[in-house]
Amino acid sequence: MKAAILCFLMVFGHITYAAIDPKYANATERGYQISGDSVVFPDGSKCDLDAFNEGTCGQKWMDIDYCVPEGKHVWNLDKCCEGLEPFLGKGKDGQPSCRKIKKKETDDQEDSSWFDNLLNNTLFWVGLILPFIVLGIFAYSVKAKIKKRNDKDSN
């Protein structure tokens, strides 16, 4: 039982942060599809992703001016389309995306309240509920042992 609890805590006790691998940046920002390790261009032709990034393949597709539309991830922070800005919430890890920013909006206003963060924090709830589960299992096993002993003594 202890091993199961320990495994549970190990799986859910880790916080994971992820940013998208920058090798996909050039093709993704330009809106090209990625298939495995290849870039698929609008005409259906393909190019190795590394060769595309090095500029040795797909030259005609590199020369097209582009901007990153709303909701899409951005690496070159000056490439968001007009009226959009790169945004990643304060204190968050990951990849920024382009979005409309209202005049007076700030990172602090965008962050959810501490109560919302608490409600969404899995580790908090596991830590709050797990002791009650362990205590309940312990109490049940003690009660079962006492009952078994009483049954044995009455015979």
Side-chain angles (χ1 to χ4, degrees), residues 30-47:
R30 294 171 185 274
Y32 302 142
Q33 182 182 357
I34 296 174
S35 175
D37 284 336
S38 298
V39 181
V40 181
F41 300 112
D43 67 354
S45 62
K46 291 183 179 182
C47 184

Side-chain angles (χ1 to χ4, degrees), residues 86-97 99 101 105-112:
F87 179 81
L88 182 63
K90 183 178 180 182
K92 296 185 178 166
D93 290 329
Q95 196 65 46
S97 57
R99 63 172 258 190
I101 305 281
E105 187 175 12
T106 65
D107 286 351
D108 293 332
Q109 290 172 331
E110 180 59 28
D111 285 345
S112 53

